[in-house]
Structures are given as C-alpha cells and as structure tokens.
Amino acid sequence: MIALLVTILGHLFYGTTNVMWKNPRNEMGTLPLIITRSFFSFLIFLISFFALTNLDLITIPKITFWDLLSTAAICAVNYFGLFFYLKSLKHAPVSSTIGFGKVSLIIGVLSAYFLYDEEISTVKIIMCIIVLIGVTFIERAARIGSAVMSKGLMYSILCKLFWGTSYLFVPFIDKLGPILFCVVLEFIVCTLSCLLLIGSRSKFPSHTVSRRTKFEIGILVVLGTGGTFCLNFALANISILLFATLALIEPILGLIISKIYHKERLTPLQYAGVWMGIVAAFVLGLTK
C-alpha cells in the first residue's frame, strides 16, 4: 500500500512539473533549464544521502565501479526522454504533447511480461485498453494541424521511447538504493546537458529571468526532486504493469493543469478521455 501511494504521489508531482516546463523553456532555452533544475536536484539528493548515512538511517551500499558505470549508462539513455520532451513543447501546446503517454504504457506492459515475468490477466488487459482509448481521445482531440504537430509529434514519441528505459532501472535501484541512484541520475542529466550546451556553443541567457520563471523553476526543483525519488522508489517496490498504468495520471493531471495554468481549452472528447483514464487506472490498482 505504501509503494502504491508513493507511486501515485510521484506521478502527481511529475504531472504538475510536465506543465511547468513550458514557460521557463521558452525564456531560458532547453539545456540551460535542464542544467539549472538537475544541478539543484543533484545537490538535494547528495546532501540527503550523506545526511541519512551519517544518521545511520540508511547504509552505504556495497557496489563496484562497474555498478556505477552501468547505472550511469542507462541514465544517460533515459536522459534524452527529458531532452526531447522539452523540444516537443517548442512545437506544440502542452495539451497536445502530454497525451502521448500511451506509448509508455505499451512499453511498460511489454516490460512487465517479457522482462519481469509478471502475470497479465484478462482484467488487467481490459483496463489497460480502456486507459489507452482514453488517452487516445485526449491526444486526437488535441491535434491542431499537421504543420504544427509534425515536429511536436515526432519529439513526443521520441521522448516516450527514451523515457521508457526507466523500466530497466529496477536492478540498478536495488543495488544502489533509491537515493544514491537518484544522485547518479541527476549527475548524469546535469553533465550531459553541460556537454551538449558546450557543443552547441549556446549560452545561459544573459538577461535576468522573470519572477514567474523563477517561481516555476522552484516548482520544477522541488516537485521534480520529489517525483524522481518517489518513482524510482516505487519502480523497485511495485508491479511494473501497475506502475506503467498509473503513469497515465501524469497526462491526465497535466491536461487539467494546462487548462487552468496555460488557459488551454479541453474538448468534450478530452474530458471523456480523462475520466476513462482515471477510472481504469484505479480499478487496475485494486486488481490483484
């Protein structure tokens, strides 16, 4: 039950931050924003790890250099999920990009069955199909023209494919523990972003960012850090199939927040998709 609540909490955090990336990205640029958010998250996780080990609340895991290297490698691949997500926000509204979460659900179901030998019952399949239909309603109703959506669609699908590698995190989290794993993850995100920024010859914005952007970055740091910990903890302590289905909370919550925060309108079909996703996801959560 605790792992289930932590999973829902993590997806709620990420569902909120998915909406908050847009304005800071437009003002700062993709890479400077990722560097800023990941640097502060890295510091929070690193300080937390040393504090908790000194207080004997957690133990230092026995790991090898190869464990760290292989963890860094999978985190490096997963990093491009965030990179392409921010790219997608440049070419389409928030409500048009976050609907493609169904790609992650498909990857999650396949991972649960083929990688983790989880039982896939008829009820679970039906609930997953209902969630997929609901998110399809959300995505199709959000389309606003092929010229606008061409790159937005491409980047959205790419981000979900790379983010789908998170289902491979489980053995690495088991070895390092969730907090140390998050330290490595945020370090890789920050480092890769710095290297890409140098390679692109781009710079941090010379102008002072607005008060609104500073506020949104603060939300990204706090909720992003909390979401990263919750979801990585949950990955190692909950069914992968359930985890993947509950991940659809993110686009559903994101659509609701985008309606309010970015003043984007939802169609009746999108509302239907939202309720289908909510009901099916929680029925699946109660299904053994």
Side-chain angles (χ1 to χ4, degrees):
M1 181 59 70
I2 294 179
L4 178 62
L5 293 176
V6 170
T7 305
I8 295 173
L9 184 62
H11 287 309
L12 290 176
F13 285 160
Y14 268 12
T16 304
T17 58
N18 284 345
V19 179
M20 295 297 173
W21 284 102
K22 187 175 182 64
N23 288 330
R25 195 221 70 82
N26 291 341
E27 187 168 346
M28 294 183 62
T30 298
L31 292 172
L33 177 58
I34 296 178
I35 292 170
T36 303
R37 203 280 293 176
S38 59
F39 175 74
F40 284 108
S41 295
F42 166 72
L43 287 181
I44 292 172
F45 282 125
L46 186 64
I47 293 171
S48 299
F49 177 75
F50 283 116
L52 292 173
T53 52
N54 286 333
L55 293 172
D56 293 326
L57 296 178
I58 61 173
T59 58
I60 299 177
K62 297 179 179 180
I63 54 176
T64 64
F65 175 75
W66 172 250
D67 292 330
L68 288 175
L69 187 62
S70 56
T71 301
I74 191 65
C75 290
V77 175
N78 183 264
Y79 159 80
F80 287 96
L82 176 60
F83 178 81
F84 286 122
Y85 175 71
L86 295 190
K87 285 289 188 182
S88 72
L89 293 180
K90 182 179 179 180
H91 300 281
V94 173
S95 59
S96 299
T97 60
I98 60 181
F100 295 105
K102 62 176 183 277
V103 178
S104 292
L105 177 56
I106 294 172
I107 296 173
V109 172
L110 294 175
S111 299
Y113 184 77
F114 290 105
L115 297 180
Y116 299 103
D117 296 322
E118 292 187 8
E119 180 182 354
I120 309 295
S121 66
T122 302
V123 174
K124 291 180 180 179
I125 292 175
I126 293 173
M127 290 301 105
C128 287
I129 291 174
I130 292 175
V131 173
L132 284 174
I133 293 173
V135 178
T136 300
F137 284 172
I138 293 169
E139 177 261 316
R140 287 188 178 278
R143 290 185 179 177
I144 55 177
S146 58
V148 178
M149 281 302 297
S150 57
K151 286 188 177 181
L153 171 61
M154 178 185 69
Y155 286 134
S156 295
I157 293 177
L158 282 174
C159 88
K160 294 304 179 182
L161 290 176
F162 280 100
W163 262 337
T165 59
S166 62
Y167 297 115
L168 303 177
F169 283 175
V170 176
F172 303 97
I173 297 172
D174 288 338
K175 286 183 179 179
L176 275 68
I179 296 182
L180 183 57
F181 177 85
C182 290
V183 171
V184 176
L185 175 63
E186 295 296 350
F187 175 79
I188 293 299
V189 170
C190 188
T191 301
L192 282 178
S193 298
C194 289
L195 293 175
L196 289 174
L197 185 68
I198 294 172
S200 65
R201 298 181 180 179
S202 301
K203 296 181 180 179
F204 270 81
S206 56
H207 61 276
T208 303
V209 297
S210 65
R211 182 177 298 180
R212 176 184 178 179
T213 295
K214 291 179 181 178
F215 170 75
E216 290 171 337
I217 291 175
I219 293 178
L220 288 173
V221 171
V222 175
L223 296 187
T225 301
T228 298
F229 172 77
C230 288
L231 295 185
N232 285 317
F233 173 85
L235 266 172
N237 293 278
I238 199 172
S239 160
I240 297 297
L241 177 62
L242 178 56
F243 181 92
T245 306
L246 291 178
L248 271 300
I249 292 174
E250 291 182 28
I252 291 170
L253 178 64
L255 282 166
I256 295 172
I257 295 176
S258 70
K259 173 181 171 58
I260 300 171
Y261 196 75
H262 292 297
K263 297 181 174 60
E264 297 180 357
R265 299 182 61 183
L266 300 186
T267 67
L269 193 60
Q270 284 180 305
Y271 278 116
V274 166
W275 284 109
M276 289 178 67
I278 291 175
V279 173
F282 281 96
V283 168
L284 183 58
L286 298 175
T287 304
K288 294 183 179 181

